[in-house]
Amino acid sequence: MAGAAGPATGSGAAGGDGDDSLYPIAVLIDELRNEDVQLRLNSIKKLSTIALALGVERTRTELLPFLTDTIYDEDEVLLALAEQLGNFTGLVGGPDFAHCLLPPLESLATVEETVVRDKAVESLRQISQEHTPVALEAHFVPLVKRLASGDWFTSRTSACGLFSVCYPRASVAVKGEIRQYFRSLCSDDTPMVRRAAASKLGEFAKVLELDSVKSEIVPLFTNLASDEQDSVRLLAVEACVSIAQLLSQEDIEALVMPTLRQAAEDKSWRVRYMVADKFSELQKAVGPKITLNDLIPAFQNLLKDCEAEVRAAAAHKVKELCENLPMEGRETIIMNQILPYIKELVSDTNQHVKSALASVIMGLSTILGKENTIEHLLPLFLAQLKDECPEVRLNIISNLDCVNEVIGIRQLSQSLLPAIVELAEDAKWRVRLAIIEYMPLLAGQLGVEFFDEKLNSLCMAWLVDHVYAIREAATNNLMKLVQKFGTEWAQNTIVPKVLVMANDPNYLHRMTTLFCINALSEACGQEITTKQMLPIVLKMAGDQVANVRFNVAKSLQKIGPILDTDALQEEVKPVLQKLGQDEDMDVKYFAQEAISAMAQRLRKLDFPVKDSEEPSAPGPDKNHFLRPREPGEDTGKGPAYQLHVNTRDTFPQLDTAEIVLFLPKYRLISRI
């Protein structure tokens, strides 16, 4: 609160001098010097408002110099400042004055924290587009040069991200200087700078003339790909994609492929991993001819690499590689040059490799067709369904729709069942959660008869799982199954089993019954909800556990729109009124919430609230309360109390008549 006291005094003084415009900057200065980091952060986030209050001239002459001089703060405050300044062009007078924003951002681009520098560079890139070509060379290019020749590596790394945005609009002479600065950064003594240059090499190549790409960028790429630091070499692989897209097939073969072959066999697994990870992009960039001659053999080596991380990255790309092959001869290439290596990976010693393969292998069935799938892929699918690793089995099951399109799922059904059961009963609850999410997909593919016979009991067992997330997912699963199989199936198969749980001795299971009713009521419709579900909900209103009773009130509010007015008036209304008199505060609150929600629909019904039960400060989670007026808060005549309403939550539910009734009696105050 100390931050608020200072400016108030300053404001008075300013007002006495007749210059109230000093107040915003006084508030900013006071809050930026406050010891509370959150207060300083909030102040930075209000910069645009303060700038509007000051006007464009004072923002340029006072606010920006002040910010530039005080850039020594917590990283999160500096990050917010860097982000704000990127959108400040209109607040300093438009593009003609955009250069005024460069000094504070230049300072931010040299700080030690990487995320702050990155955000400052992002804002500088944004502002560079608002410079005219003349202003760009007069103000922005000198900034890039200063950063590129700075003493600290932090400024030089930031400069790497700015070359590509200023190069296209620079004059020929300046372009030559920019290329020279970039070349020097690519051979910088500090590995962090070379890393930054390598990461921006492809982006810079895209804005250069083709001759410059061949004569300057390709040699830089070759040098960076041979750097002593593997963290630099792996980033050069990423640049290879952009460079190859700019060159002809002959130039790619002569200038790029020797370096790429070297990278695919690099001594560092991290470089080989990057080649595997970018393989699909490389394949598209170099074209089909070079892919067949060079990339396929390289991919085979990556699939049998000694490092599991590399094999896993390559396995992830199997489907994309096959899809990108030319249609002519694609099947032969896959069967002869790819499939033998895939068969070895199915029994790999590393579970991450097997899991990566399982996530994409099903997609090969649509590429190879029915006969090849049955003869060659089906045995692999069956082996993976029996794998000891849950993730492998889960990834196969999650992609069954690919196989279903080609050969149908019946051939897998007998092997599917044991795998599904094991996953459904896995000790790790996240595995159980994952298989629940795929159950509607499985149900649709296997059919209602197979589901009822083999999988229905699993779905019901999840409703009484000891983990809440599983019970919640199982409830949503039932709703999706009803949408898939229809209300008649639900009435005969699901609803009776759910309603039996209302008598379970465990109150958590009784609450699950209510959650299921909430989810199923919309899918099942009015008749089933009214005849089968509503009586159970009303019966549970007398439960001895308060948590169950207030969930009854919430359930009645949820299913109320589905019920007809007779059921609401004759059955729901008395129960809610009784719950509204409950001894438990939460039960009373949720009952009143349900009554308010129904009032919109049942205008003719009267839900009386006794004078003694008028809402009065029930707690922070309530939507409205009475409080005394603060002294001096209202100078006009009026009552001593105000009604505060949380408009975001309550107005959609309050009856219009109730609001009109309150207005003459109380002054309505919105809580922000």
Side-chain angles (χ1 to χ4, degrees):
M1 299 301 293
T9 306
S11 174
D17 295 334
D19 187 8
D20 288 336
S21 63
L22 289 175
Y23 182 64
I25 193 70
V27 172
L28 175 67
I29 293 171
D30 193 68
E31 290 188 347
L32 283 178
R33 291 173 178 168
N34 197 286
E35 294 181 0
D36 186 356
V37 176
Q38 189 60 47
L39 193 60
R40 299 202 301 274
L41 185 62
N42 291 340
S43 181
I44 289 294
K45 291 180 178 179
K46 296 174 188 172
L47 274 183
S48 57
T49 304
I50 294 168
L52 282 171
L54 290 174
V56 294
E57 185 175 347
R58 294 191 64 193
T59 297
R60 295 196 301 266
T61 57
E62 296 178 35
L63 180 59
L64 291 180
F66 168 72
L67 293 173
T68 307
D69 294 339
T70 56
I71 296 181
Y72 302 100
D73 207 327
E74 299 289 335
D75 293 333
E76 56 184 331
V77 177
L78 298 182
L79 180 65
L81 177 59
E83 185 176 7
Q84 289 283 318
L85 290 176
N87 302 309
F88 240 60
T89 304
L91 299 171
V92 296
D96 292 340
F97 298 95
H99 62 273
C100 297
L101 298 170
L102 300 183
L105 285 171
E106 182 177 354
S107 298
L108 288 167
T110 63
V111 300
E112 189 174 350
E113 178 55 46
T114 305
V115 293
V116 177
R117 294 201 310 271
D118 290 346
K119 183 58 71 174
V121 169
E122 183 183 324
S123 293
L124 282 169
R125 289 167 64 95
Q126 186 174 336
I127 290 171
S128 72
Q129 304 302 321
E130 295 164 347
H131 281 67
T132 62
V134 175
L136 194 77
E137 290 195 10
H139 301 287
F140 196 86
V141 173
L143 175 146
V144 177
K145 292 178 180 178
R146 287 194 300 272
L147 290 174
S149 56
D151 294 332
W152 291 96
F153 80 90
T154 53
S155 68
R156 302 200 297 277
T157 56
S158 294
C160 294
L162 299 174
F163 290 107
S164 61
V165 294
C166 61
Y167 185 88
R169 293 189 292 152
S171 62
V172 175
V174 173
K175 283 182 176 181
E177 292 181 30
I178 293 174
R179 293 198 302 271
Q180 177 58 43
Y181 273 100
F182 191 81
R183 283 199 302 272
S184 67
L185 293 180
C186 287
S187 56
D188 195 274
D189 294 335
T190 308
M192 285 80 81
V193 178
R194 298 200 302 275
R195 261 204 311 268
S199 69
K200 300 299 181 182
L201 184 64
E203 179 184 287
F204 190 46
K206 289 179 179 179
V207 299
L208 261 63
E209 299 79 9
L210 185 57
D211 291 341
S212 297
V213 173
K214 293 180 183 180
S215 61
E216 298 185 43
I217 294 298
V218 170
L220 292 177
F221 163 67
T222 304
N223 291 336
L224 290 170
S226 305
D227 195 273
E228 60 182 12
Q229 296 282 334
D230 62 353
S231 59
V232 177
R233 300 200 300 274
L234 66 88
L235 289 170
V237 172
E238 193 170 350
C240 180
V241 176
S242 300
I243 295 171
Q245 290 172 342
L246 303 172
L247 302 175
S248 63
Q249 287 286 298
E250 294 78 10
D251 289 333
I252 292 173
E253 182 62 55
L255 303 175
V256 175
M257 287 312 299
T259 305
L260 185 56
R261 293 188 197 103
Q262 176 186 327
E265 299 174 355
D266 195 276
K267 61 183 179 181
S268 170
W269 71 267
R270 296 171 65 190
V271 179
R272 302 196 303 274
Y273 175 91
M274 182 60 76
V275 174
D277 189 56
K278 298 292 179 182
F279 209 88
S280 300
E281 297 169 46
L282 288 167
Q283 183 185 1
K284 292 177 182 177
V286 301
K289 183 178 178 181
I290 296 177
T291 295
L292 296 178
N293 295 336
D294 289 283
L295 293 193
I296 294 295
F299 193 72
Q300 292 171 341
N301 291 332
L302 293 172
L303 287 174
K304 59 179 183 179
D305 195 274
C306 59
E307 291 291 338
E309 288 86 350
V310 179
R311 298 198 302 276
H316 263 302
K317 299 297 177 180
V318 164
K319 180 185 174 185
E320 291 181 34
L321 170 80
C322 296
E323 286 176 337
N324 294 333
L325 290 172
M327 291 295 294
E328 185 180 353
R330 179 168 68 176
E331 183 179 322
T332 304
I333 295 169
I334 296 172
M335 297 300 296
N336 296 336
Q337 300 186 53
I338 304 296
L339 195 59
Y341 294 89
I342 293 176
K343 290 179 178 178
E344 292 182 17
L345 292 184
V346 169
S347 56
D348 196 275
T349 54
N350 186 281
Q351 69 178 42
H352 298 294
V353 176
K354 294 186 291 185
S355 178
L357 180 64
S359 66
V360 298
I361 192 173
M362 304 291 271
L364 296 180
S365 57
T366 55
I367 299 173
L368 293 176
K370 184 174 182 178
E371 292 183 7
N372 287 325
T373 298
I374 294 174
E375 184 178 351
H376 298 284
L377 294 181
L378 192 57
L380 303 182
F381 300 157
L382 296 175
Q384 288 174 311
L385 280 172
K386 298 173 184 176
D387 195 277
E388 60 183 9
C389 176
E391 287 186 13
V392 175
R393 304 196 299 270
L394 194 61
N395 284 342
I396 287 292
I397 290 172
S398 65
N399 290 285
L400 282 174
D401 52 332
C402 299
V403 176
N404 195 26
E405 292 175 10
V406 179
I407 64 171
I409 208 169
R410 287 294 171 183
Q411 298 194 50
L412 278 174
S413 60
Q414 294 307 314
S415 298
L416 270 176
L417 189 60
I420 294 170
V421 172
E422 285 184 27
L423 291 168
E425 298 172 351
D426 195 275
K428 297 176 183 177
W429 70 269
R430 292 186 188 277
V431 175
R432 302 199 299 276
L433 183 63
I435 191 63
I436 292 174
E437 293 173 356
Y438 294 120
M439 194 55 68
L441 171 68
L442 286 170
Q445 293 172 346
L446 293 168
V448 65
E449 293 179 6
F450 186 93
F451 181 84
D452 284 343
E453 182 183 352
K454 307 290 186 182
L455 301 178
N456 197 314
S457 57
L458 285 178
C459 293
M460 300 310 299
W462 284 323
L463 292 174
V464 294
D465 195 278
H466 65 278
V467 177
Y468 172 77
I470 301 296
R471 299 197 299 272
E472 182 182 38
T475 300
N476 293 329
N477 172 55
L478 289 185
M479 179 181 66
K480 293 175 183 176
L481 290 174
V482 172
Q483 291 170 346
K484 190 172 290 290
F485 291 150
T487 55
E488 184 178 348
W489 173 82
Q491 186 174 10
N492 298 329
T493 309
I494 293 296
V495 174
K497 294 180 180 179
V498 168
L499 299 182
V500 167
M501 292 169 54
N503 300 316
D504 196 288
N506 188 328
Y507 84 97
L508 293 174
H509 298 168
R510 300 200 295 276
M511 285 171 58
T512 302
T513 301
L514 293 171
F515 299 152
C516 288
I517 289 173
N518 293 346
L520 293 174
S521 58
E522 189 173 346
C524 290
Q526 186 182 90
E527 184 177 353
I528 296 176
T529 302
T530 305
K531 292 183 179 179
Q532 292 184 255
M533 300 184 192
L534 180 60
I536 299 298
V537 177
L538 298 176
K539 180 182 176 183
M540 294 174 72
D543 198 282
Q544 60 183 0
V545 178
N547 284 31
V548 177
R549 296 200 300 277
F550 79 63
N551 272 290
V552 167
K554 292 170 74 173
S555 292
L556 290 173
Q557 180 177 344
K558 173 73 176 176
I559 68 176
I562 300 169
L563 304 173
D564 58 34
T565 53
D566 290 339
L568 286 175
Q569 188 168 13
E570 297 171 9
E571 300 180 66
V572 176
K573 174 187 172 183
V575 171
L576 284 177
Q577 287 180 326
K578 182 179 178 182
L579 291 174
Q581 308 297 321
D582 198 277
E583 59 185 13
D584 186 270
M585 290 289 292
D586 290 321
V587 177
K588 290 171 66 175
Y589 169 70
F590 285 110
Q592 292 295 336
E593 285 283 294
I595 289 171
S596 297
M598 291 183 190
Q600 191 74 19
R601 187 176 177 206
L602 301 176
R603 294 180 183 278
K604 295 181 180 180
L605 290 181
D606 179 24
F607 291 98
V609 179
K610 296 181 181 178
D611 294 339
S612 61
E613 293 174 0
E614 247 180 355
S616 59
D621 60 339
K622 299 298 189 280
N623 285 323
H624 44 76
F625 60 91
L626 296 173
R627 73 161 178 84
R629 282 224 178 102
E630 299 292 341
E633 186 173 304
D634 188 359
T635 55
K637 295 181 180 180
Y641 286 80
Q642 303 167 297
L643 175 68
H644 275 237
V645 178
N646 185 339
T647 56
R648 291 171 296 180
D649 298 333
T650 306
F651 274 142
Q653 297 177 354
L654 280 176
D655 191 346
T656 307
E658 295 175 23
I659 297 176
V660 173
L661 182 65
F662 281 138
L663 285 175
K665 190 176 179 182
Y666 302 104
R667 189 159 72 90
L668 193 64
I669 306 294
S670 294
R671 178 189 294 163
I672 298 174

